[in-house]
Structures are given as C-alpha cells and as structure tokens.
Amino acid sequence: MAKFTHDHVHLRSPDPEATAQFYERMFGAEVLRSVQQGKPRVDLDLGGLKVFIAKAAADDKIGAAPTSPYLGLDHIGLTVTGIDAAVAELKAKGAEFTMEPTTIRPNVRIAFLRGPQGVAIELVDRNAA
C-alpha cells in the first residue's frame, strides 16, 4: 500500500489576514505571505502543519460554516502540554472556549475553542496528571 502523510489544511476566510493573525496570536503560528498567480496569499505553519487560507469573496458561492459537531471534517486538533495553563493563557488573549478542559481518559485532557469562521479547535494534552 502507498504511504500517506499530511500535507495541509485549507481554510476559507473573508479576511485571510485577520484569520492568520488569530492563529499567530493564539498559537504562535508562523504567518507566511507570498504572491500566487499575481494575488496575495496567506499561509501558516501551525506547529508543522501547513494551513492555507484562501480569500472568500462576497460573490463566491460558499456555504456558511457548519456548527460543530457535524459530519465530515469536524475540527483541527493541536497537542499541548499543561492544558490548564494553556487554556488560561488563551482566555487572557480573548479565546472563546466551547468546552473547558476535561479528562476523557487517564492522562488525557481536552478542551475546545472557536476559531475564525467557527472553526472548532481541539487542544489535547496526552500527558496530563
């Protein structure tokens, strides 16, 4: 069987710059700006995950963001150590949590916050005490 690895996640935003700034401010993502086919492009390096942010123009035929949970790709998961401190830090930056840190099994705690355009973001601490 062929071997597969992750390449990227693709987001659509009416304001790619504001979306990129959210991920930079909240998670320390590296914002990568370039030009592609004569148009500005904004991408992220989010802990080694490539995130492409496409401009969604007002006249594009794009459906509204669904409310999580839903079928299909449901959320982005990020690993963190010290989830309770990380959540406190993110709240101080204005993050909106939809699930507070919760132990789901021994040594594993998760929390969910809402990103731009309603993107659900899970924080996972797999070494929680």
Side-chain angles (χ1 to χ4, degrees):
M1 177 177 214
K3 181 179 178 183
F4 299 92
T5 62
H6 69 82
D7 187 77
H8 70 274
V9 172
H10 204 136
L11 303 177
R12 295 193 187 281
S13 171
D15 187 345
E17 191 62 41
T19 297
Q21 289 172 10
F22 171 87
Y23 287 92
E24 179 182 43
R25 184 176 76 253
M26 294 295 172
F27 308 113
E30 180 184 359
V31 180
L32 308 167
R33 294 175 182 84
S34 62
V35 175
Q36 185 176 27
Q37 297 175 338
K39 296 181 181 178
R41 178 180 171 118
V42 180
D43 298 327
L44 302 172
D45 179 335
L46 180 59
L49 175 65
K50 290 181 270 186
V51 179
F52 301 157
I53 307 172
K55 171 82 172 154
D59 58 349
D60 288 348
K61 294 182 180 178
I62 297 175
T67 301
S68 187
Y70 55 91
L71 294 174
L73 181 61
D74 183 71
H75 63 272
I76 298 171
L78 302 175
T79 302
V80 67
T81 300
I83 192 168
D84 295 292
V87 166
E89 181 181 324
L90 291 168
K91 283 182 177 181
K93 295 177 184 179
E96 176 190 349
F97 278 79
T98 58
M99 174 195 259
E100 293 295 322
T102 303
T103 300
I104 60 167
R105 61 183 169 271
N107 301 318
V108 180
R109 287 176 58 76
I110 65 171
F112 278 87
L113 65 141
R114 187 179 334 276
Q117 289 73 59
V119 171
I121 301 167
E122 179 183 16
L123 303 180
V124 182
D125 186 341
R126 297 190 183 278
N127 296 302

